[in-house]
């Protein structure tokens, strides 16, 4: 199979980039060739070159392609399956990736109904945004310790099941941190109601994911958001801030920002996104 694939006219690393079927065939041929007792190291080197170009293309050109072709989720039965976004997730992911590719920083407040899995969609955006680049830090927040563990487990699972030729090597991985030593990037999860959560601790984060932000402590939420948001570099440095919540308390930073944005669109620096029930599948 490998030799036949190599003889396809016009096959070269660059031609594979925009053709998922060719990329899949290349990957399958690489796996098959590597298992062969008579494997050809030259063929293996060629396929690896093709796949390295694929990685470079994903990083520099098309985050959406990367998300839907390389990342995994747990299926309904707990099995590992390719991430296939639902219509609400797909709308949200496309909105974010299109803004990034146009050179904009992303700052979104996402008000979601039940069972849209907005946290999963945010994870699938933030993870490759950090893990495909050098020197990027992301903070992930949730409203209580159990929720921090749950949301971080999504990031840990996404990394563990990432495409083997795209996945960065972890220097450390514990309950709340993924540190990629080979690219000097990291994803750090925190309890939003901790006294120290509003400090960037010397990092200049380029990404932040605030999960269920409407349930943060209203008395400390202003310090949290101001401390993290002020640490994010200004444009033109790429950055993603996703604040998502389903319901919440009628007080605090998020409640005030939503009211302000409704009263004066564009005044907060955040895009307000609401995915109402009729738009759900």
């Amino acid at each position: 199979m490998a030799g036949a694939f190599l003889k396809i006219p016009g096959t070269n690393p660059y031609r594979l980039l925009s053709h998922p079927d060719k990329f899949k065939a290349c990957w399958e041929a690489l796996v098959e060739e590597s298992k062969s007792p008579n494997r050809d190291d030259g063929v293996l080197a060629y396929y690896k070159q093709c796949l390295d170009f694929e990685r470079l293309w994903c990083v520099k050109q098309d985050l959406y392609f990367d998300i839907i072709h390389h990342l995994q989720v747990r299926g309904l039965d707990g099995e590992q399956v390719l991430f296939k976004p639902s219509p609400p997730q797909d709308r949200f992911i496309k909105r974010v990736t299109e803004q990034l590719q146009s050179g904009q920083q992303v700052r979104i407040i996402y008000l979601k109904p039940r069972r849209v899995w907005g946290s999963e969609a945010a994870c699938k955006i933030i993870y490759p945004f950090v893990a495909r680049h050098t020197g990027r830090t992301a903070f992930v927040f949730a409203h209580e310790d159990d929720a921090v563990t749950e949301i971080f487990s999504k990031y840990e699972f996404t990394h563990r099941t990432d495409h083997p030729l795209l996945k960065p090597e972890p220097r450390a991985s514990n309950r709340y941190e993924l540190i990629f030593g080979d690219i000097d990037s990291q994803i750090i999860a925190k309890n939003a109601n901790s006294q120290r959560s509003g400090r960037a601790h010397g990092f200049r984060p380029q990404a932040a994911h605030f999960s269920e932000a409407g349930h943060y402590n209203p008395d400390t939420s202003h310090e949290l958001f101001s401390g993290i948001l002020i640490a994010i570099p200004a444009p033109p440095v790429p950055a993603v801030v996703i604040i998502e919540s389903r319901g919440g308390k009628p007080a605090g930073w998020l409640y005030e920002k939503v009211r302000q944005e409704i009263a004066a669109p564009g005044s907060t620096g955040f895009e307000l996104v609401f995915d109402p029930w009729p738009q759900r599948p």
Side-chain angles (χ1 to χ4, degrees):
M1 176 180 175
F5 183 75
L6 281 173
K7 293 176 183 176
I8 295 175
T11 301
N12 61 67
Y14 294 101
R15 291 286 295 275
L16 288 169
L17 301 182
S18 58
H19 298 282
D21 291 340
K22 287 186 178 181
F23 173 68
K24 182 180 179 181
C26 181
W27 171 250
E28 291 173 346
L30 172 61
V31 172
E32 179 179 326
E33 186 72 20
S34 66
K35 293 178 180 178
S36 170
N38 301 315
R39 63 180 177 270
D40 184 328
D41 289 341
V43 172
L44 285 177
Y46 178 83
Y47 283 129
K48 288 178 180 177
Q49 181 188 24
C50 292
L51 293 165
D52 284 343
F53 275 112
E54 169 68 17
R55 176 182 182 177
L56 181 64
W57 182 73
C58 288
V59 167
K60 294 185 177 298
Q61 300 296 328
D62 198 335
L63 178 60
Y64 180 78
F65 179 92
D66 190 4
I67 291 170
I68 65 172
H69 286 95
H70 299 141
L71 304 185
Q72 308 276 326
V73 292
R74 292 186 181 91
L76 296 178
D77 297 325
E79 75 279 17
Q80 175 184 322
V81 296
L82 190 66
F83 176 56
K84 297 291 186 184
S86 66
Q89 288 177 323
D90 195 58
R91 286 192 292 270
F92 181 62
I93 292 170
K94 284 180 176 176
R95 193 185 211 105
V96 172
T97 56
E98 287 170 1
Q99 287 185 27
L100 281 172
Q101 287 176 209
S102 69
Q104 303 176 58
Q105 286 196 345
V106 175
R107 292 179 179 242
I108 285 180
I109 296 174
Y110 181 34
L111 304 181
K112 58 187 185 181
R114 289 178 61 86
R115 300 187 67 79
V116 166
W117 298 284
S119 293
E120 189 74 64
C123 167
K124 293 300 185 275
I125 294 167
I126 298 289
Y127 169 79
F129 179 79
V130 172
R132 304 287 190 253
H133 295 267
T134 299
R136 289 190 177 178
T137 296
F139 286 129
V140 181
F141 297 94
H143 61 294
E144 58 187 17
D145 286 344
D146 287 347
V148 176
T149 300
E150 180 181 357
I151 192 70
F152 185 70
S153 71
K154 297 180 187 297
Y155 284 88
E156 190 279 331
F157 179 87
T158 302
H159 172 255
R160 178 160 44 84
T161 60
D162 193 7
H163 194 292
L165 289 180
L166 302 177
K167 177 168 62 176
E169 289 297 321
R171 187 181 72 204
S173 178
N174 56 38
R175 189 181 180 190
Y176 292 140
E177 291 184 350
L178 275 172
I179 300 175
F180 309 125
D182 56 338
I183 58 172
D184 193 30
S185 293
Q186 50 266 317
I187 298 171
I188 302 169
K190 297 183 176 187
N191 186 325
N193 295 324
S194 167
Q195 292 182 346
R196 294 172 59 84
S197 287
R199 303 173 187 175
H201 301 289
F203 290 111
R204 295 286 284 170
Q206 286 183 251
H209 173 194
F210 299 88
S211 179
E212 298 298 347
H215 299 276
Y216 296 174
N217 184 341
D219 296 331
T220 59
S221 62
H222 292 83
E223 180 181 357
L224 167 69
F225 282 102
S226 61
I228 297 301
L229 295 178
I230 199 171
I232 293 175
V237 175
V240 179
V241 179
I242 297 174
I243 304 171
E244 43 94 356
S245 190
R246 173 175 51 83
K249 303 172 182 178
W253 187 93
L254 179 61
Y255 179 76
E256 293 172 9
K257 288 294 181 183
V258 170
R259 286 174 59 90
Q260 178 184 341
E261 187 63 24
I262 291 173
S267 63
T268 65
F270 282 85
E271 179 184 3
L272 184 59
V273 177
F274 177 58
D275 202 345
W277 285 98
Q279 292 189 20
R280 294 192 58 210

